[in-house]
Amino acid sequence: MADVSSKSTKVTSSHWGAFEVDVENDRIVATRPFSQDPNPPRISAILPAAVHHHTRVTRPAIRRGWLHGRHREGRGSDTFVELGWDEALDIAAQEIDRVRRDHGNGAIFGGSYGWGSAGRFHHAQSQVHRFLNSIGGYVASFGSYSTGCAQSIMPHVFGVNFLSLLYEHQDGWQTIHDHTKTLVMFGGINPKNSQVSMGGITEHETANWFDRFAAKNMRCINIGPQRTDAPGGCEWLPVRPGSDTALMLALAHVLEHEDLTDRTFLARHTTGFARFRPYLMGETDGIAKSPEWAAPLCGVEAGAIRDLARRMASTRTLITVAWSLQRAEHGEQPYWMSAVLAAMLGQIGCPGGGVGYGYGAIGGVGKSLIGLRGMTFPQLTNPVEATIPVARIADMLRKPGEAYDFNGRRTPYPDIRLIYWAGGNPFHHHQDLNALHEAWQKPETIIVNEPWWTATAKRADIVFPATTPFEREDIGRTNLDDYLFHMPRLIPPQGEARDDYAIFADLAERLGAGEQFTEGKSAEAWIAQLYGEYRDLAADAGVEVPDLDTLKDRNWMRLPIQAKGPNRTFFAPFREDPEAFPLGTPSGRIEIFSETVDGFGYDDCPGHPVWLPPSEWLGTATGAAPLHLVSPQPGDKLHSQLESALADVEGARPETLVLHPVDAAARGIGTGDLLRVFNSRGACRARALVSDDITPGVVALPTGAWFGDPGSNIDPHGNPNVLTLDVGTSRLGQGCSAHTALVDVAKLVTHAD
Ligand SMILES: Nc1nc2c(c(=O)[nH]1)N[C@H]1C(S)=C(S)[C@@H](COP(=O)(O)OP(=O)(O)OC[C@H]3O[C@@H](n4cnc5c(=O)[nH]c(N)nc54)[C@H](O)[C@@H]3O)O[C@H]1N2
Ligand SMILES: Nc1nc2c(c(=O)[nH]1)N[C@H]1C(S)=C(S)[C@@H](COP(=O)(O)OP(=O)(O)OC[C@H]3O[C@@H](n4cnc5c(=O)[nH]c(N)nc54)[C@H](O)[C@@H]3O)O[C@H]1N2
Ligand SMILES: [Mo]
């Protein structure tokens, strides 16, 4: 018999990198590492099972209670009724129309935070934003869960947009390799996290750089609660989570006490040291921020702090700070203080010296590329002015009309009646999920586009099945990577899934905005147009990019955009001539004291960095909640994505919690034991991994296990966000405080636990 099966192999891109995909009879059957990637991530291996998983949303679905009577009760517990596309779209469009007529577009929340799709046209957030703008606007969100707090505080300190600092001005790996002698990594630099980068990352190079650093005998010191936050071969200085500011202050105290401060740099390039110094030396509050003061707070011996400070002052030192440090209550402080410490060392603007943020957070940080823009789907303009800091969503839902502070501004929370989410999973990403579940009951309607029945889809009223990137054509291109991909449609849409673009085009049509949304173009026509525009811009920058048909044939290409020579960061000219190249701060200098921040009058973020202990950390540990929970990114997936299939792997769920042998012994816990992790906010299961790679008193449970259904007093899969604290980092940053939480752990003994 003739073989009628169809087989093909193509390369595609994702947020965690490129990979080869084998397709057979319209099914993804296998993935393989991409040939150009020196350290391919293991994430893609689970993809075939996830894409075809039984948890895919296959048809439009409306929650029974909402369909029959618009009842809000039942989100998360109700069953769904499947409908045909036309009927479901009619119902959704009528409801959106009702809300905008009765309450205005300011009652629609479309922030829709999340990491859906690396492809640039079908990027779900851009799609939902454009759609909502085409029908009159929506309440947007500002910042990110990743770096929201830093995005608020750092412009006050360095006078530059934080994201542009990260991606355009920090030293690249080559410069660090060539110049840095001491790499001081607060929160480590973890190749596990740099597997991922928004929009894609092709050559995963972090681990190789560390091999080269080791070959040069660079001292790489990981300061944080977990040894595993940095590659093997790095030194580890264990610290208690949330205490980094105290440690940095003590390092600064040593510099000042031993006359190692670079006074020339402070005088020419900074402002406000005179206002900060009395606090540092204890003249204002009677407490010198000495190593002896910091030692019991951070759990590092005073002698080790002194040695480190001297080493930092006597060698070319780069301080790096993980984003995790600002994803915690008072996260502004370690960020600002790291800049002050670097300023006191006087190496800011020297190659391989100063301070940098997020080198291990995502793979794009540290790549030296010429600034060639990516490709974006235009979102139109939003007539609604109200926005919220992204992590304040539950507060917004709980407190409509109530005023809140944010970076010097005081505004009321909008009164939200309808939420539209596409491309994110708030019941993965938000803190204190049991409280979010309560707040989520308030809006009249929740609409979600999702490929999978996530905890968020299950808590929606209307769910539209969305395609995954593998079911549609797109372009993979980001300014953080030097590869360009044609992402072919590999398989047909699963079930009745449609592209977000098609869903929004149909809704816009029903709402009289079809033309505004689509401009009469098909998805294919948009991709051709956006690619053409990108190609023209590239040509202007002297980079030749093939036409779309050629790219389709080639599937991928490496772009010749690697920067030659050392980075000229904007700190370098500023260092040479601060008058000619001032920073964007009010003083034109690095602000050790900020009149602006001081003027806000916030006691949780005063005019210079200070030690403000978080409300939950080992310093406030109680018998009921004696352990500090950190909840890092998962190594085997991107957030909650691909969880559907990972959860099927024998023994994979509940998720693994790392704890120290001392804490394990005190509770009679051994590796492999099933655990109950709990505090006053909630409880989840976990599987124990006993290891001395973690600081005593600290436990680590990665994010991303799917949040369970309501009604259970314990989350079965191990989602740390049932335990985390939902407070803003401060009134200034209002970022999320995910790494701030005290918990206890016990062995699960009975089935009822
Ligand atoms: N405790 C704790 N919590 C945290 C963090 C932490 O460190 N600790 N980190 C935070 C951070 S930094 C982040 S960035 C967030 C991440 O949080 P999210 O970005 O919300 O997490 P994802 O799981 O990536 O959610 C993306 C969703 O989009 C869906 N999706 C994928 N492609 C498409 C598409 O084409 N169309 C549509 N409509 N949907 C699609 C996926 O199925 C998935 O449900 O989590 C935050 N939460
Ligand atoms: N594989 C994979 N990689 C990812 C992601 C993913 O989902 N999967 N998500 C990506 C995203 S969206 C982001 S924003 C980045 C986030 O990148 P990061 O913010 O760097 O990552 P985290 O994993 O939250 O935290 C890193 C480590 O910080 C340590 N830490 C926690 N609190 C403290 C503290 O108070 N002090 C110190 N010194 N250390 C502390 C923890 O031990 C933790 O393992 O990761 C990205 N990379
Ligand atoms: Mo993030």
Side-chain angles (χ1 to χ4, degrees):
M1 230 168 77
D3 182 5
V4 290
S5 70
S6 70
K7 285 186 190 178
S8 68
T9 298
K10 286 279 186 187
V11 171
T12 195
S13 175
S14 70
H15 291 298
W16 58 88
F19 49 96
E20 282 182 14
V21 188
D22 289 346
V23 177
E24 222 174 287
N25 292 330
D26 287 342
R27 287 182 74 84
I28 297 181
V29 290
T31 62
R32 267 188 310 280
F34 181 50
S35 55
Q36 308 300 301
D37 188 350
N39 298 295
R42 52 193 171 119
I43 300 179
S44 332
I46 198 74
L47 196 101
V51 167
H52 300 288
H53 202 259
H54 63 84
T55 53
R56 287 291 301 263
V57 184
T58 52
R59 298 192 68 202
I62 300 191
R63 189 171 62 76
R64 197 172 295 277
W66 189 91
L67 184 64
H68 305 300
R70 301 292 184 268
H71 300 303
R72 299 186 214 183
E73 314 80 65
R75 286 191 184 127
S77 51
D78 240 355
T79 53
F80 282 82
V81 180
E82 291 188 340
L83 284 89
W85 270 104
D86 281 343
E87 200 183 346
L89 287 164
D90 285 344
I91 294 171
Q94 279 159 17
E95 178 61 5
I96 295 169
D97 201 35
R98 180 192 71 80
V99 170
R100 69 171 174 168
R101 279 175 202 283
D102 290 358
H103 306 286
N105 283 66
I108 300 176
F109 182 66
S112 190
Y113 182 76
W115 274 64
S117 185
R120 292 297 91 182
F121 170 69
H122 290 289
H123 180 242
Q125 259 197 72
S126 312
Q127 293 285 346
V128 66
H129 293 162
R130 182 181 170 95
F131 161 66
L132 291 172
N133 284 336
S134 77
I135 62 151
Y138 66 98
V139 173
S141 55
F142 169 87
S144 66
Y145 279 76
S146 318
T147 60
C149 163
Q151 287 180 48
S152 296
I153 186 69
M154 294 319 279
H156 293 297
V157 181
F158 284 141
V160 64
N161 174 295
F162 182 68
L163 300 180
S164 127
L165 176 72
L166 287 179
Y167 304 128
E168 292 158 33
H169 300 300
Q170 294 191 162
D171 281 340
W173 291 117
Q174 185 69 52
T175 307
I176 297 172
H177 169 269
D178 293 348
H179 297 278
T180 306
K181 294 274 183 297
T182 309
L183 187 63
V184 179
M185 307 175 284
F186 287 91
I189 289 183
N190 197 333
K192 171 218 24 137
N193 279 13
S194 52
Q195 291 183 113
V196 161
S197 198
M198 49 280 232
I201 159 132
T202 310
E203 293 181 24
H204 293 87
E205 54 184 352
T206 309
N208 293 11
W209 281 112
F210 272 84
D211 290 344
R212 294 182 63 188
F213 297 169
K216 278 196 65 185
N217 290 325
M218 189 193 292
R219 266 189 80 181
C220 301
I221 307 164
N222 164 24
I223 301 179
Q226 295 198 82
R227 188 200 306 270
T228 49
D229 285 333
C234 296
E235 295 167 45
W236 180 36
L237 193 63
V239 298
R240 300 160 99 187
S243 73
D244 304 82
T245 309
L247 178 56
M248 292 175 190
L249 281 164
L251 291 166
H253 188 276
V254 176
L255 299 182
E256 197 51 19
H257 187 70
E258 302 190 3
D259 203 19
L260 298 170
T261 309
D262 185 336
R263 289 188 200 287
T264 318
F265 186 86
L266 288 186
R268 260 194 101 191
H269 296 87
T270 71
T271 180
F273 186 69
R275 305 277 302 265
F276 168 71
R277 191 182 179 282
Y279 168 78
L280 180 67
M281 303 315 282
E283 289 154 20
T284 41
D285 57 1
I287 303 169
K289 309 302 174 299
S290 65
E292 283 69 23
W293 164 79
L297 299 173
C298 52
V300 180
E301 283 178 14
I305 300 175
R306 276 202 178 83
D307 288 349
L308 179 61
R310 291 171 190 151
R311 163 96 195 174
M312 290 169 81
S314 61
T315 57
R316 180 60 54 85
T317 295
L318 181 65
I319 300 168
T320 65
V321 191
W323 293 349
S324 54
L325 272 77
Q326 51 85 65
R327 220 176 298 117
E329 205 180 356
H330 305 135
E332 293 81 3
Q333 303 309 318
Y335 262 54
W336 197 349
M337 189 55 215
S338 66
V340 172
L341 181 58
M344 291 173 71
L345 288 166
Q347 299 184 18
I348 292 175
C350 297
V355 61
Y357 302 92
Y359 279 97
I362 58 160
V365 176
K367 281 202 184 275
S368 297
L369 304 175
I370 65 161
L372 179 62
R373 181 200 91 130
M375 214 181 93
T376 45
F377 182 42
Q379 301 183 7
L380 306 173
T381 47
N382 187 353
V384 174
E385 275 178 16
T387 63
I388 60 156
V390 66
R392 302 277 44 81
I393 178 172
D395 280 343
M396 171 188 78
L397 296 175
R398 275 190 292 260
K399 304 171 188 169
E402 201 169 290
Y404 70 98
D405 290 299
F406 173 45
N407 208 0
R409 183 187 88 173
R410 192 170 174 78
T411 35
Y413 281 120
D415 186 356
I416 297 303
R417 308 297 174 120
L418 185 144
I419 296 179
Y420 205 129
W421 221 293
N425 186 359
F427 282 91
H428 153 70
H429 66 230
H430 196 62
Q431 287 56 63
D432 198 353
L433 289 181
N434 289 323
L436 176 66
H437 178 80
E438 293 302 314
W440 193 254
Q441 308 303 317
K442 294 212 165 181
E444 287 153 28
T445 302
I446 295 168
I447 311 179
V448 169
N449 295 2
E450 240 305 331
W452 285 275
W453 279 107
T454 60
T456 301
K458 285 185 179 178
R459 284 165 176 77
D461 301 317
I462 303 177
V463 183
F464 288 121
T467 51
T468 67
F470 317 102
E471 292 149 53
R472 60 201 184 210
E473 181 191 18
D474 213 334
I475 302 292
R477 166 76 195 120
T478 143
N479 54 348
L480 303 182
D481 192 32
D482 47 0
Y483 281 74
L484 171 65
F485 296 90
H486 176 250
M487 298 165 65
R489 183 200 221 212
L490 297 164
I491 50 169
Q494 300 298 287
E496 293 180 20
R498 290 189 184 175
D499 301 345
D500 292 293
Y501 180 68
I503 299 170
F504 290 129
D506 284 348
L507 286 173
E509 183 66 38
R510 283 167 168 77
L511 290 160
E515 182 59 29
Q516 284 97 307
F517 181 73
T518 64
E519 295 177 21
K521 291 191 255 284
S522 64
E524 208 180 357
W526 270 111
I527 289 169
Q529 178 185 322
L530 298 178
Y531 184 77
E533 288 166 8
Y534 160 69
R535 197 168 167 241
D536 291 345
L537 273 172
D540 291 347
V543 179
E544 206 185 312
V545 171
D547 64 33
L548 188 52
D549 285 335
T550 312
L551 182 69
K552 282 184 192 180
D553 282 347
R554 289 174 61 173
N555 198 176
W556 60 270
M557 68 171 285
R558 185 163 190 243
L559 296 165
I561 56 169
Q562 299 71 26
K564 305 268 182 294
N567 290 22
R568 287 290 293 172
T569 78
F570 83 136
F571 285 125
F574 164 70
R575 179 184 183 84
E576 271 157 37
D577 190 345
E579 279 73 38
F581 302 100
L583 302 183
T585 53
S587 62
R589 298 169 172 208
I590 298 167
E591 303 227 333
I592 294 174
F593 183 93
S594 161
E595 298 285 353
T596 311
V597 173
D598 186 57
F600 296 157
Y602 298 152
D603 53 2
D604 55 1
C605 190
H608 63 70
V610 291
W611 163 242
L612 292 171
S615 54
E616 293 187 26
W617 73 301
L618 289 176
T620 60
T622 61
L627 303 170
H628 193 129
L629 170 79
V630 291
S631 43
Q633 310 295 335
D636 53 355
K637 61 175 184 286
L638 174 64
H639 310 137
S640 71
Q641 300 189 42
L642 311 178
E643 172 70 7
S644 51
L646 271 172
D648 294 342
V649 176
E650 178 77 23
R653 294 291 168 270
E655 183 54 274
T656 302
L657 174 132
V658 185
L659 80 170
H660 191 270
V662 169
D663 299 313
R667 293 164 179 80
I669 294 168
T671 290
D673 283 348
L674 264 186
L675 305 177
R676 177 167 185 263
V677 195
F678 57 99
N679 63 16
S680 60
R681 290 179 286 274
C684 68
R685 290 179 193 218
R687 179 89 56 187
L689 172 64
V690 180
S691 164
D692 58 11
D693 286 344
I694 195 159
T695 307
V698 183
V699 295
L701 180 64
T703 62
W706 273 0
F707 183 47
D709 297 333
S712 159
N713 61 3
I714 182 163
D715 179 69
H717 312 123
N719 186 315
N721 276 326
V722 295
L723 304 159
T724 51
L725 182 67
D726 179 19
V727 296
T729 50
S730 81
R731 284 186 283 168
L732 187 124
Q734 292 288 15
C736 81
S737 297
H739 285 296
T740 301
L742 288 170
V743 301
D744 202 356
V745 171
K747 212 163 144 168
L748 260 182
V749 275
T750 65
H751 196 65
D753 285 333

